[in-house]
């Protein structure tokens, strides 16, 4: 068979196949359109979760986001911390709390209220000392107290000084009340509404804002530290003893859980602070999930009577200061100007630092720069420098 004949037979076979395929199709009825090809359904994407809008404002003393600007002048309340006064009320709403010695080894609390509004009681409220005035005024706060030492009254009642204070005994008794369920003198209370009303009636300026503090998310800090280490600048933070505990000052104490000596950072998931009395120990346990330290006194949770929950803070600060007894009552002079050793404890870690008083405000410094707080509340503790700063703090 020649090639041309083969090509003709192949062409005829192809035509026959095409006609057979066309015969299998359904004929289109007259007056109708051929069916349109089915549309392909687009792939459905996963619904995107809407992120909540960031709060419009930031609280100046906590670094936390808030929905309304915190414009109120701070109120600094002197809180009794004698055992018979515990549990106290209102402390969970304070932005910052200072614990510092008064007479007889008992500590007093200075609670700074600014960013939160609440109706519940604050107290028990007790007397004021010159160094407590310094702490409260560093926040440009109105001072709330009941009585005071002779030296404190000399400062407050100096008309030329123009101090803003509400004293239950001498000038503002109607803005406080006694709780009959507790024994005097551990039963004096007020609340923010009454204290702000009293400050307004006294004509104290309401537009004084607190100083600003530096806050930084711990995740941001960790990223910055990793960058430093990759550049060879992070060796300083590695001088932590084996097991994660800090050392005390001497080689004899290497590996102990006492801090404040040669190390720059140390693990701090538990913290014990002693002031003067051996039977008074403030402890904190770190809750890594919440990022806060929960406070105990002598092994028992230190609760707010209003909430029934333990006090907690994102930041703990321990400062060493010179203490001097100057009268037979045991009253103290505490030097809040000199500066000295400090620990900043946050995120399960303690950082050795120094404290300085700059423009009237105590700042926590390292290598000439202010250390950032983690967003949240802060508890300060001022301990004596004797016998040594290190002996007042234990980390674990």
């Amino acid at each position: 068979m020649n090639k041309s004949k083969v090509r003709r037979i192949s062409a005829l076979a192809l035509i026959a196949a095409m006609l057979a395929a066309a015969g299998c199709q359904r004929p289109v009825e007259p007056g109708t359109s051929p069916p349109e090809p089915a549309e392909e359904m687009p792939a459905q994407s996963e619904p995107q979760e809407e992120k909540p809008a960031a709060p419009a404002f930031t609280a100046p003393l906590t670094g936390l986001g808030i929905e309304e600007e915190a414009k109120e002048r701070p109120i600094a309340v002197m809180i009794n911390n004698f055992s018979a006064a515990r549990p106290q009320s209102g402390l969970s709403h304070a932005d910052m709390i200072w614990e510092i010695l008064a007479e007889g080894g008992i500590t007093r609390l200075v609670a700074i209220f600014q960013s939160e509004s609440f109706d519940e009681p604050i107290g028990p409220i007790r007397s004021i000392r010159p160094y407590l005035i310094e702490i409260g005024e560093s926040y440009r706060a109105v001072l709330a107290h009941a009585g005071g030492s002779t030296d404190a009254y000399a400062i407050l009642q100096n008309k030329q000084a123009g101090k803003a204070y509400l004293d239950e005994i001498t000038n503002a008794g109607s803005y406080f009340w006694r709780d009959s369920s507790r024994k005097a003198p551990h039963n004096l209370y007020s609340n923010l509404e009454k204290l702000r009303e009293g400050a307004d009636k006294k004509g104290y300026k309401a537009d004084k804002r607190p100083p600003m503090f530096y806050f930084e998310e711990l995740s941001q800090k960790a990223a910055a530290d990793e960058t430093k280490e990759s550049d060879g600048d992070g060796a300083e933070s590695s001088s932590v003893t084996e097991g994660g505990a800090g050392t005390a000052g001497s080689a004899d104490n290497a590996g102990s859980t006492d801090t404040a000596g040669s190390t720059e950072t140390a693990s701090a998931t538990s913290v014990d602070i002693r002031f003067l009395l051996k039977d008074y120990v403030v402890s904190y346990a770190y809750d890594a999930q919440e990022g806060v330290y929960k406070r105990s006194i002598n092994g028992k949770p230190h609760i707010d009577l209003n909430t029934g929950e333990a006090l907690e803070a994102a930041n703990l600060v321990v400062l060493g200061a010179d203490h001097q007894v100057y009268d037979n009552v045991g009253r103290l002079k505490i030097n809040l100007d000199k500066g000295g050793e400090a620990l900043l404890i946050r995120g399960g870690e303690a950082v050795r630092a120094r404290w300085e008083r700059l423009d009237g405000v105590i700042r926590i410094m390292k290598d000439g720069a202010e250390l950032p707080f983690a967003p949240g509340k802060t508890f300060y503790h001022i301990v004596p420098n004797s016998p040594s700063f290190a002996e007042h703090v234990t980390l674990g």
Side-chain angles (χ1 to χ4, degrees), residues 32 57 86 117 133 145 147 155 189-190 197 200 214-215 271 282 288 372:
T32 63
F57 302 97
R86 297 193 295 265
S117 298
I133 295 174
H145 61 101
I155 295 169
Y189 292 84
S190 188
E197 179 186 354
D200 184 60
Y214 176 28
F215 296 90
V271 183
V282 176

Side-chain angles (χ1 to χ4, degrees), residues 90-222:
L91 291 176
S92 59
H93 290 285
D95 292 340
M96 292 182 167
I97 296 175
W98 291 72
E99 183 167 13
I100 188 168
L101 282 165
E103 298 81 46
I106 307 299
T107 62
R108 191 143 299 170
L109 306 177
V110 183
I112 310 297
F113 298 93
Q114 199 271 335
S115 70
E116 296 187 24
S117 298
F118 64 104
D119 300 325
E120 292 79 16
I122 300 170
I125 299 172
R126 285 304 303 269
S127 57
I128 201 165
R129 302 289 179 269
Y131 49 87
L132 303 181
I133 295 174
E134 290 185 65
I135 291 171
E137 289 196 326
S138 71
Y139 292 91
R140 304 166 191 146
V142 175
L143 309 171
H145 61 101
S149 65
T150 303
D151 290 339
Y153 271 132
I155 295 169
L156 295 174
Q157 295 177 348
N158 180 350
K159 292 184 178 180
Q160 293 181 342
K163 301 296 183 183
Y165 68 100
L166 299 170
D167 177 20
E168 186 263 346
I169 293 177
T170 64
N171 76 343
S174 61
Y175 303 105
F176 300 80
W177 73 84
R178 296 277 175 183
D179 183 343
S180 59
S181 68
R182 304 188 80 159
K183 292 183 179 180
H186 314 300
N187 65 344
L188 184 68
Y189 292 84
S190 188
N191 60 27
L192 280 183
E193 181 182 6
K194 282 185 170 293
L195 294 175
R196 295 203 184 282
E197 179 186 354
D200 184 60
K201 289 289 179 67
K202 293 287 179 186
Y204 299 145
K205 292 181 179 179
D207 59 354
K208 288 199 172 186
R209 303 294 179 87
M212 298 300 293
F213 290 85
Y214 176 28
F215 296 90
E216 181 180 73
E217 292 286 353
L218 292 180
S219 57
Q220 295 174 341
K221 176 185 176 299

Side-chain angles (χ1 to χ4, degrees), residues 34-359:
E36 295 183 1
E39 293 183 3
E40 291 187 7
M41 297 296 291
Q44 293 185 352
S45 59
E46 292 288 331
Q48 297 293 322
E49 291 186 9
E50 291 187 9
K51 294 183 179 180
F57 302 97
T58 301
L61 299 182
T62 67
L64 296 173
I66 50 178
E67 296 301 327
E68 296 183 6
E69 186 178 6
K71 297 188 291 186
E72 300 282 6
R73 183 175 184 176
I75 304 285
V77 186
M78 311 302 131
I79 302 290
N80 190 354
N81 196 37
F82 189 62
S83 57
R86 297 193 295 265
Q88 299 97 333
S89 299
L91 291 176
S92 59
H93 290 285
D95 292 340
M96 292 182 167
I97 296 175
W98 291 72
E99 183 167 13
I100 188 168
L101 282 165
E103 298 81 46
I106 307 299
T107 62
R108 191 143 299 170
L109 306 177
V110 183
I112 310 297
F113 298 93
Q114 199 271 335
S115 70
E116 296 187 24
S117 298
F118 64 104
D119 300 325
E120 292 79 16
I122 300 170
I125 299 172
R126 285 304 303 269
S127 57
I128 201 165
R129 302 289 179 269
Y131 49 87
L132 303 181
I133 295 174
E134 290 185 65
I135 291 171
E137 289 196 326
S138 71
Y139 292 91
R140 304 166 191 146
V142 175
L143 309 171
H145 61 101
S149 65
T150 303
D151 290 339
Y153 271 132
I155 295 169
L156 295 174
Q157 295 177 348
N158 180 350
K159 292 184 178 180
Q160 293 181 342
K163 301 296 183 183
Y165 68 100
L166 299 170
D167 177 20
E168 186 263 346
I169 293 177
T170 64
N171 76 343
S174 61
Y175 303 105
F176 300 80
W177 73 84
R178 296 277 175 183
D179 183 343
S180 59
S181 68
R182 304 188 80 159
K183 292 183 179 180
H186 314 300
N187 65 344
L188 184 68
Y189 292 84
S190 188
N191 60 27
L192 280 183
E193 181 182 6
K194 282 185 170 293
L195 294 175
R196 295 203 184 282
E197 179 186 354
D200 184 60
K201 289 289 179 67
K202 293 287 179 186
Y204 299 145
K205 292 181 179 179
D207 59 354
K208 288 199 172 186
R209 303 294 179 87
M212 298 300 293
F213 290 85
Y214 176 28
F215 296 90
E216 181 180 73
E217 292 286 353
L218 292 180
S219 57
Q220 295 174 341
K221 176 185 176 299
D225 289 346
E226 286 180 8
T227 301
K228 286 183 180 180
E229 289 179 8
S230 66
D231 293 339
D233 297 330
E236 186 178 63
S237 66
S238 63
S239 57
V240 180
T241 61
E242 190 172 345
T247 63
S250 68
D252 293 339
N253 291 321
S256 76
T257 54
D258 291 342
T259 120
S262 59
T263 58
E264 298 300 324
T265 62
S267 174
T269 56
S270 65
V271 183
D272 290 340
I273 302 171
R274 293 169 175 82
F275 288 83
L276 192 60
L277 300 178
K278 291 182 179 179
D279 61 353
Y280 178 76
V281 182
V282 176
S283 300
Y284 293 92
Y286 184 58
D287 182 333
Q289 185 172 359
E290 298 293 330
V292 296
Y293 287 88
K294 297 189 176 182
R295 177 178 165 105
S296 298
I297 295 178
N298 295 338
K300 296 181 179 179
H302 187 183
I303 68 170
D304 184 329
L305 187 60
N306 291 342
T307 65
E309 297 180 356
L311 301 177
E312 57 187 38
N315 307 283
L316 309 177
V317 179
V318 188
L319 314 174
D322 292 343
H323 290 55
Q324 177 188 352
V325 178
Y326 73 92
D327 65 12
N328 56 9
V329 178
R331 294 191 181 97
L332 296 169
K333 290 182 180 179
I334 300 179
N335 190 330
L336 299 182
D337 292 315
K338 182 179 177 181
E341 292 184 80
L343 286 174
L344 173 57
I345 303 168
R346 74 217 156 161
E349 180 183 86
V351 181
R352 188 178 177 221
R354 305 282 299 177
W355 67 270
E356 299 177 19
R357 191 167 179 181
L358 305 174
D359 297 325

